[in-house]
Amino acid sequence: RALNLHPPPDPVVPYLTNISDDPALSGALVYYLPEGVQVLVGEGQDAHIRLRGLGIQQEVCVLQNNGEGTVHIALGMDSQVRVNGAQIMVDARSVLYHNDRLVLGRAKAFRVVVPQADGADEGFGGSIGHQFVMDELIRNAEVDEAVQTHVEDLQNRFGSDAAEDFLVRYRPVRFFVDEANEITSMLMVDERISFRAGMV
């Protein structure tokens, strides 16, 4: 749908800017969020911001700048959206603040820029790169019940340092195993192949 997301005359309009694994490409994409407009993000034909990639649904989310120095986000069904590394719930409505990291599916990462926010000119955004975002995602990787039981056992027997050391090693494995399963389910629909992060 036609919607002008190009630079507005008002310099305080919030926008999204991309975070890429190639530092030269980070910031190359900018999507402005005009006040009062519901901006649909997704893969579908009706999306104002059209994205493609692993985990990108037809309608991932709707963003709206209400002119309050924040951006509201509402998720579509089965959407995979993480803010600052943490998954937000489908059908939940959340608020995005200046310098929040918005990860859509497993393919696209953006930084939220709200120019009129307090401290917006302090320069922290320049330190938010791909590795920063990946570290957040890995720190928030899911821990299932069996693993949580093992972590509690480690803590009881060997102390909190041992439990934390295990989680630091486990979470990256879990994160990439989950990603591998998503890739497999997309490319090999009839094979019923899946991977698991195990403990020895």
Side-chain angles (χ1 to χ4, degrees):
R1 291 178 290 180
L3 184 63
N4 182 14
L5 301 182
H6 296 297
D10 186 348
V12 298
V13 171
Y15 60 90
L16 303 181
T17 183
N18 71 306
I19 300 171
S20 173
D21 56 354
D22 182 345
L25 296 179
S26 284
L29 298 176
V30 175
Y31 298 103
Y32 287 88
L33 305 172
E35 185 174 344
V37 177
Q38 292 190 339
V39 178
L40 176 61
V41 182
E43 190 179 43
Q45 294 285 342
D46 289 336
H48 301 116
I49 300 177
R50 291 192 67 189
L51 305 173
R52 299 192 67 182
L54 185 63
I56 301 293
Q57 305 293 332
Q58 293 292 303
E59 297 182 2
V60 176
C61 63
V62 173
L63 302 171
Q64 183 167 345
N65 163 24
N66 287 337
E68 303 166 349
T70 56
V71 175
H72 291 268
I73 178 171
L75 272 61
M77 292 301 297
D78 300 321
S79 292
Q80 189 178 125
V81 177
R82 294 176 175 87
V83 177
N84 302 335
Q87 176 77 37
I88 59 177
M89 300 302 294
V90 172
D91 290 335
R93 188 174 182 84
S94 299
V95 177
L96 303 175
Y97 298 95
H98 181 64
N99 276 334
D100 275 353
R101 282 73 63 199
L102 178 66
V103 178
L104 307 177
R106 291 185 179 270
K108 306 295 180 183
F110 297 92
R111 181 168 66 93
V112 179
V113 180
V114 183
Q116 73 268 41
D118 291 340
D121 57 353
E122 293 179 358
F124 170 68
S127 65
I128 299 174
H130 181 260
Q131 191 57 54
F132 186 102
V133 172
M134 287 300 299
D135 289 345
E136 282 189 321
L137 294 173
I138 288 171
R139 280 198 303 273
N140 284 276
E142 292 183 14
V143 176
D144 59 34
E145 186 175 346
V147 173
Q148 187 59 46
T149 299
H150 179 68
V151 169
E152 292 170 1
D153 182 55
L154 281 175
Q155 184 165 348
N156 292 335
R157 294 171 61 193
F158 303 108
S160 57
D161 287 348
E164 183 59 31
D165 182 62
F166 171 80
L167 284 173
V168 167
R169 297 169 187 269
Y170 171 81
R171 281 196 168 106
V173 175
R174 175 60 188 264
F175 178 83
F176 290 111
V177 164
D178 288 347
E179 183 175 62
N181 281 326
E182 288 188 36
I183 293 171
T184 302
S185 65
M186 182 177 68
L187 298 179
M188 306 172 70
V189 178
D190 298 325
E191 297 296 327
R192 300 192 181 189
I193 297 173
S194 65
F195 304 95
R196 291 185 60 191
M199 297 176 292
V200 179

